[in-house]
Amino acid sequence: MKTRKIKLILILSTILLILFTSLNIFTSYIKMKKTVEESIANQSLEAAISIASSIDVEAYKQFLDNPEKNDYYWELRSYLNDARVKLGALFVYTLKVDNPKVSKAMIMGLPGDLTKGFDIGEVCTVPEKQVQKAYKGETYVTEVIPDSVHGAYLSVGAPIKDKTGKIIAYLGIDISAETLNGIKGKVIEDNLFIFIFNGVLILLVIGSFFFLQRWYQKEVAKEVGATEDTYQAEIKTLITSVSSLRHDFTNHIQVLHGFLQLNKPEQAKQYLSSLSKEVQAIKSLKVNIDHPGLSILLQTKKLTAQNHNIDMDFTVSQDAFNKIKTTDLIKILSNLIDNAIDAANELPEEQRKITIRCKADDTQYEFKVTNSGPNIVEAGQIFKQGFSTKKPESGKIRGQGLFIVNEIVNKYEGQISIDSSKHLETTAIVTIPIK
């Protein structure tokens, strides 16, 4: 069920990623087309302003007084036609705007051999909204205007002013939609690499997402497996210790029952007194440690030590030890303490002793485990995988503990050292820097 939910989340995430990225590309495409259109319109408007300023205003005024196809008409028409050709425009012309609704084309920039059509004063198709702006003396830019005769086009207009600043006419330029689309297509073609790059980037992001997801699942599974192995080992140790206590408890009850059966109450009292000391020792297993995992580990190990008649003592700083993962902390101390218990067991009961110190300051954690036991002769080999100072046992893998500890310490850029120079005493020290 959990796997199905994860897959569903991944599928939905992928769909959303593709959807939003496609929307982003589509939006960029529309924005690019709009930007090209606005750029051409602004460029055409600048051209209209330039052409308007170059017209002989006094001569044009005289033409307006008697609008006919005279010499000035043909001269200005030729001039406007040259401008039309150079700009690649559909039309370049002068406008008369004497009301806020309709404008009239006066002189169209056309070739001289084209004598029919486009008469003086012909009503122009500039929309009323733009005519109103022109009537107020403003420049204007239209949207693309559909035209069944000349085809769709975009139109701009700039005022023609006399020396006093009075507007006497307008200069209009029409750019065909075909020209606009051609420029848009060229711009989009030039930016095609960007669209392809975005598409490839999407695929890479999706691929990386799935790769990281699979990698993360494997790492989590590995971590969970390692954690489960560690805690199962500790639980087995705890169960063994509890079973041993239960067995001892049964024996104690049988001894007390025997003393009472033999009517020896004094001996029974003495035996109970000795048992009371053991009970107090068990009660002392409760330690005030801020780290729950560390507290459970040390209590379990102390119980194991008592079952082996090992005197174990530990001191732990009041610190959460939260700069190191709980599983890593347990692996480090569990392996070091197990090695210490194994070494101490090789000595007579009265010589078995282990001390554990867990300290923390502002810069580092220090874990120190000292045990009585045989000295380590080949100290330089102990961190190698498979190396062990213990005797081989059938079905039991040796030489893994310190290798694992060393790997974890290196991960945290810490240090580990083993000192076995004192007679029948070995000390393992691990330091982990706090970052």
Side-chain angles (χ1 to χ4, degrees):
M1 188 69 179
K2 186 177 179 181
T3 304
R4 289 180 62 187
K5 286 184 178 180
I6 292 173
K7 287 183 177 179
L8 181 60
I9 291 171
L10 288 174
I11 291 171
L12 289 175
S13 300
T14 303
I15 292 172
L16 288 173
L17 179 62
I18 294 172
L19 178 64
F20 286 129
T21 308
S22 301
L23 183 62
N24 180 51
I25 292 175
F26 177 73
T27 305
S28 300
Y29 171 76
I30 297 299
K31 187 176 181 181
M32 186 178 294
K33 289 181 67 176
K34 186 69 175 176
T35 302
V36 170
E37 189 173 303
E38 290 176 354
S39 178
I40 294 172
N42 291 331
Q43 186 178 356
S44 299
L45 185 59
E46 290 295 325
I49 294 171
S50 177
I51 296 170
S53 65
S54 67
I55 291 177
D56 186 342
V57 177
E58 295 303 322
Y60 192 78
K61 280 183 176 180
Q62 293 178 10
F63 166 75
L64 289 178
D65 291 338
N66 184 23
E68 60 180 5
K69 296 182 180 181
N70 53 25
D71 291 341
Y72 177 75
Y73 169 86
W74 291 107
E75 180 183 344
L76 184 57
R77 173 169 165 165
S78 177
Y79 175 72
L80 295 179
N81 183 59
D82 288 342
R84 179 186 69 83
V85 173
K86 289 176 181 178
L87 292 173
L90 182 62
F91 297 115
V92 177
Y93 50 94
T94 60
L95 279 170
K96 183 178 181 180
V97 183
D98 55 0
N99 68 79
K101 292 188 176 182
V102 179
S103 60
K104 298 175 182 178
M106 302 301 289
I107 303 177
M108 299 292 295
L110 296 169
D113 55 355
L114 189 63
T115 57
K116 293 184 179 180
F118 301 105
D119 293 329
I120 297 172
E122 184 173 329
V123 175
C124 192
T125 56
V126 176
E128 183 179 333
K129 179 180 177 182
Q130 279 70 37
V131 174
Q132 288 177 357
K133 294 185 73 174
Y135 190 74
K136 294 176 183 178
E138 303 173 7
T139 59
Y140 65 82
V141 176
T142 70
E143 300 289 337
V144 175
I145 303 169
D147 191 307
S148 58
V149 179
H150 305 293
Y153 63 91
L154 176 148
S155 184
V156 301
I160 301 172
K161 300 179 182 179
D162 62 14
K163 293 179 180 179
T164 64
K166 180 182 177 181
I167 298 174
I168 61 170
Y170 262 77
L171 193 289
I173 298 177
D174 295 345
I175 306 295
S176 70
E178 289 184 6
T179 303
L180 287 172
N181 293 332
I183 297 173
K184 290 176 187 177
K186 186 67 172 67
V187 172
I188 292 170
E189 182 182 339
D190 292 341
N191 289 274
L192 185 61
F193 174 76
I194 296 176
F195 289 108
I196 295 174
F197 176 79
N198 286 339
V200 172
L201 185 61
I202 294 169
L203 294 176
L204 287 175
V205 168
I206 294 173
S208 300
F209 176 76
F210 280 111
F211 173 78
L212 289 174
Q213 182 263 336
R214 293 297 298 272
W215 173 81
Y216 177 74
Q217 282 185 338
K218 287 182 180 179
E219 288 298 312
V220 169
K222 187 190 300 182
E223 196 67 37
V224 169
T227 303
E228 186 176 350
D229 291 342
T230 300
Y231 280 103
Q232 280 193 2
E234 295 307 318
I235 289 172
K236 287 179 182 178
T237 303
L238 183 60
I239 291 172
T240 301
S241 299
V242 171
S243 298
S244 177
L245 284 173
R246 180 179 177 280
H247 180 266
D248 291 342
F249 177 76
T250 302
N251 290 336
H252 295 322
I253 293 296
Q254 288 177 350
V255 171
L256 285 171
H257 184 262
F259 279 135
L260 294 174
Q261 286 283 2
L262 295 172
N263 197 21
K264 294 181 178 181
E266 290 301 321
Q267 287 87 337
K269 287 180 181 180
Q270 291 176 4
Y271 196 79
L272 280 174
S273 178
S274 63
L275 286 179
S276 177
K277 293 180 181 179
E278 289 192 19
V279 171
Q280 291 300 322
I282 294 173
K283 287 175 65 178
S284 70
L285 290 176
K286 293 183 179 180
V287 290
N288 184 23
I289 298 175
D290 291 341
H291 194 294
L294 181 58
S295 175
I296 294 170
L297 175 72
L298 292 178
Q299 291 183 60
T300 303
K301 294 304 181 186
K302 185 159 188 177
L303 192 59
T304 302
Q306 285 185 353
N307 288 334
H308 290 282
N309 296 311
I310 299 172
D311 180 17
M312 179 179 285
D313 177 61
F314 46 77
T315 304
V316 181
S317 298
Q318 292 298 311
D319 192 274
F321 295 96
N322 56 4
K323 299 299 182 182
I324 179 172
K325 291 171 63 176
T326 299
T327 52
D328 291 336
L329 177 60
I330 297 301
K331 287 177 185 177
I332 290 172
L333 286 175
S334 178
N335 281 293
L336 292 180
I337 295 171
D338 286 344
N339 286 346
I341 291 173
D342 288 342
N345 271 335
E346 296 188 28
L347 297 180
E349 291 185 4
E350 64 275 7
Q351 297 180 24
R352 299 175 185 175
K353 183 175 179 61
I354 296 175
T355 58
I356 303 167
R357 300 287 182 267
C358 301
K359 293 168 56 179
D361 56 32
D362 294 336
T363 59
Q364 66 178 19
Y365 296 141
E366 181 183 270
F367 306 105
K368 184 177 180 181
V369 178
T370 302
N371 65 271
S372 59
N375 294 102
I376 300 174
V377 179
E378 301 178 78
Q381 305 292 320
I382 58 176
F383 296 118
K384 291 184 178 180
Q385 188 173 15
F387 178 84
S388 177
T389 59
K390 305 177 185 71
K391 295 179 180 179
E393 292 184 26
S394 178
K396 195 167 186 179
I397 300 174
R398 296 289 192 183
Q400 301 296 319
L402 287 178
F403 173 77
I404 293 172
V405 172
N406 191 44
E407 290 288 306
I408 297 171
V409 171
N410 288 337
K411 183 173 75 173
Y412 289 94
E413 298 180 1
Q415 293 182 338
I416 180 172
S417 62
I418 305 293
D419 181 10
S420 193
S421 58
K422 294 183 180 180
H423 181 62
L424 295 180
E425 183 179 291
T426 300
T427 300
I429 301 175
V430 170
T431 55
I432 302 292
I434 298 176
K435 297 181 179 180

